[in-house]
Each structure stands twice: as structure tokens, then as C-alpha cells.
Amino acid sequence: MRISVEQASEQIKQGEVVAVPTETVYGLAADCFNAHAVKKTFKIKGRPADNPLIVHISELNQLDTLAENISDDARTLIRNFWPGPLTLIFPKHHAVPDIVTGGLSTVAVRMPYHPLTLSLIRKTGPLTAPSANKSGRPSPTKAKHVEDEFKGTVPVLDGGDCSIGLESTVLDLTQKPYTILRPGYVTPAAIEDLLNTEVLKLTGSKKKLMSSPGTRYTHYKPSASVIWFSPLNPPSDKDAYYITHSFEARDGYISFDYNADFDLLARHLYDHFRTADHLKFQKIFIEELPPDQNHPVIAPLKDRINRASSH
Ligand code: TXA
Ligand code: MG
């Protein structure tokens, strides 16, 4: 069922869960201060209770009811990147229910860039919103994806296709050096330039050491196997779904050539994963991407595709 902002606001106030659009991916929204509603979100997603949620706000003064110790650096980031795809981790305010933060003493907050969801939050107050997919699956970037994912059981505020298509950058500001827990559209370089300070990027084993909650679980996986390939050594499987930017798939192969427009790939990546599953392909071959420095969206793309392809 598709609903209006007014109806979404009514549902949220009654403690229900609704799907909402953002510039990154669709979220599964609930009233952040209603522990019972937040609990429903975990249940619908099948999400482990120790993996915390991001709280979404529409006004800066809402931050004071969620977080403590909002530093000058945080304010600088907020001025430059909100509303937008940057999630910040702060020490948690006691008013935030423990279920929201999976028992952690920190809280993740962002102000999304989408007119419908901002107007919804103005009516309801802060909303928790994890990506609107079952735990471990690709995030939804269209209203239709959400409907397919939950078989129409979750009402959707349809805000069109997400303009970025990959989840927000998650930056931990509770300790220096600040650490990127999840790469996204806002790059470490952009943050370093702005704050004039070093920013750590969590990779591989370091990630486990830091035990960022979200990195313990599998993510972004379609049913098909996701496999990188080099155009120097291309696969010859006909019965596979190809995503390419320089390699020309043979005639008759199902392929998507995004013409090295990496923003376009980001916007459509999860849609391709879902389409390949829908068409019952067992394999998705993705042509290797160039080095990260060539485009800000390449690092987050590699991160998501690596996770989707891991066992
Ligand atoms: O773009 C996005 O961020 C989307 C849209 C809907 O806003 N939301 C999203 O939520 O991707 P979710 O729940 O799928 O991912 C949130 C990530 C998880 O990896 C979680 O572990 C991490 O943020 N996170 C949340 N609170 C945290 C905290 N207090 N400390 C460390 N990581 C946290
Ligand atoms: Mg998610």
C-alpha cells in the first residue's frame, strides 16, 4: 500500500512502521522514542538486536534530545553535509531507548535529504530507520523494492527512485582519530579537508578489531552469487547477468553497460541485484572498478560489491 505523508504520520504516531524514501536508500521508519515500535522494526527486518539503528531528524534542535557532547567538529560537518548522506556517531542522550542503540552508549544520527521524509519528521519527531530490507539483503532504492521485500505488508511513502542509491557514510566522532565505519558518498578526503584532521578508514581485520556492530553481519546479498571479473580474463558463462563499463559482453548475453558513469552504477546497483534474482540468474558478473581516487563513489561501490560477493 502506498500512503501520503499525512497517513504515514498517523501510522507512526500509532506506533506502526512505515517505509520512507531518502536520497540514499528507503528506510523502515518508526518513532525513535517508542521502544515498542522500534522493536517491531527489528522483528520485520529479522535484524539482530545488537545491530543499532540510525535516528533521522529534520531539525537541528532535535539533535539535543538524542546526543551529548556535540563538538565544534560535529557542527562543522553538520553545516556542510546535512541534510545529506552522512551519519554521525555521538555519545547517546539518556532519553534514547536502549533498543535503538543495541545497548551501546553511542547513537547514530543523520538528517536525510528528501522533501517527503523531512516533512514527515517535522510532524512526528525523530525516526529510527534502518534500510527497508530483510537483514542481509540488498537495500531498496524504489518503492517497488520495498513492496516486493515485505510482500506488501509494510505501507510505503513513495518518494521516487533514490538519487544516490548507496547507504550513508557512517563516521564515529566519539574518539580521535575519527573513524569511517561505513564508506559512502561523503568521502574521508572531504571530511579531512574540512576538519583538517586525519580520518581512519576501517578495512578488513581492523574492522573486526573495532567491532563496529554493522560489520559483523553479511550485507547487500542477492540470491545470485556476485563475482568480480577482469576484462583481461572474462568469463564465458552465457547464463549470467553482466554489469560492465569497458568490456563488451557478447551478443545475446544479458548485460548492463553503464558507460563508466559510476554515479549511475551506484543508483542502480541494488536494482540490478534484484532484477538478476527476479530473472533467476545464478551469477552476477561485475567488471572490476578503477582505483578509488578516480571517483568518490568508487570506494563505497567496491565496499558493497565486496560484501555482496563474500561468503
Ligand atoms: O543511508 C542510510 O544510512 C540508510 C537510510 C535509510 O538512512 N540507513 C541505513 O541503516 O543504512 P542501516 O540500519 O541499514 O545501517 C546502519 C548502520 C549499521 O551498519 C549500524 O551497525 C551502524 O549504522 N550504526 C548504527 N548505530 C551505530 C552506533 N551507535 N555505533 C556504530 N555503528 C552504528
Ligand atoms: Mg542496512
Side-chain angles (χ1 to χ4, degrees):
M1 192 194 6
R2 309 233 171 149
I3 55 175
S4 63
V5 171
E6 200 55 56
Q7 290 168 317
S9 157
E10 284 309 307
Q11 295 273 315
I12 299 264
K13 286 175 188 165
Q14 286 168 26
E16 295 301 327
V17 173
V18 304
V20 301
T22 80
E23 78 282 30
T24 57
V25 301
Y26 274 76
L28 209 50
D31 176 356
C32 153
F33 296 112
N34 180 339
H36 187 71
V38 175
K39 195 167 177 188
K40 267 189 214 166
T41 318
F42 280 92
K43 185 151 183 253
I44 293 172
K45 269 186 73 84
R47 180 168 177 128
D50 65 352
N51 193 2
L53 307 183
I54 298 172
V55 182
H56 295 65
I57 62 175
S58 57
E59 254 94 22
L60 253 188
N61 59 19
Q62 293 165 337
L63 188 58
D64 301 325
T65 62
L66 301 167
E68 307 270 5
N69 305 345
I70 300 151
S71 64
D72 289 345
D73 281 348
R75 300 218 178 262
T76 303
L77 291 169
I78 288 168
R79 253 197 321 277
N80 277 270
F81 293 115
W82 283 7
L86 176 65
T87 296
L88 300 174
I89 312 275
F90 299 100
K92 159 187 171 321
H93 190 290
H94 59 81
V96 179
D98 285 334
I99 185 167
V100 171
T101 61
L104 294 178
S105 59
T106 56
V107 63
V109 185
R110 88 174 186 103
M111 188 186 290
Y113 185 78
H114 196 291
L116 294 186
T117 296
L118 288 172
S119 67
L120 174 64
I121 301 170
R122 274 181 219 118
K123 294 175 191 289
T124 59
L127 300 176
T128 48
S131 52
N133 51 276
K134 297 249 179 72
S135 204
R137 301 241 315 129
S139 298
T141 53
K142 300 168 179 283
K144 174 84 168 50
H145 292 165
V146 181
E147 288 167 344
D148 292 348
E149 188 81 4
F150 300 110
K151 310 215 156 44
T153 58
V154 176
V156 184
L157 175 60
D158 183 0
D161 295 359
C162 299
S163 57
I164 293 178
L166 299 176
E167 306 77 3
S168 61
T169 304
V170 178
L171 178 68
D172 185 354
L173 292 176
T174 61
Q175 279 179 50
K176 277 198 162 177
Y178 303 145
T179 307
I180 303 261
L181 301 180
R182 180 175 70 185
Y185 195 81
V186 175
T187 63
I191 298 167
E192 284 178 339
D193 286 352
L194 190 64
L195 300 183
N196 207 4
T197 180
E198 185 206 5
V199 171
L200 289 185
K201 287 148 263 183
L202 278 195
T203 48
S205 58
K206 234 190 297 170
K207 240 175 215 170
K208 285 209 185 69
L209 283 178
M210 292 277 301
S211 91
S212 156
T215 59
R216 282 198 292 272
Y217 304 104
T218 62
H219 276 299
Y220 321 117
K221 272 189 190 301
S223 302
S225 306
V226 175
I227 305 157
W228 287 112
F229 78 92
S230 158
L232 300 175
N233 184 19
S236 54
D237 257 315
K238 188 167 190 313
D239 195 21
Y241 191 95
Y242 285 77
I243 300 176
T244 65
H245 60 90
S246 73
F247 172 77
E248 214 163 301
R250 292 178 216 186
D251 275 354
Y253 283 35
I254 302 291
S255 75
F256 170 67
D257 182 348
Y258 59 92
N259 218 343
D261 178 345
F262 299 103
D263 289 315
L264 184 73
L265 177 61
R267 218 176 299 136
H268 290 285
L269 181 70
Y270 296 141
D271 186 51
H272 285 299
F273 285 2
R274 286 172 185 273
T275 303
D277 277 353
H278 188 73
L279 297 173
K280 304 253 185 309
F281 282 102
Q282 306 289 310
K283 289 177 186 166
I284 301 169
F285 284 113
I286 305 187
E287 183 181 346
E288 284 172 359
L289 299 176
D292 300 359
Q293 305 87 285
N294 292 2
H295 194 293
V297 93
I298 289 181
L301 272 170
K302 283 183 181 170
D303 172 76
R304 304 313 190 273
I305 298 169
N306 281 335
R307 286 158 172 277
S309 66
S310 72
H311 299 292

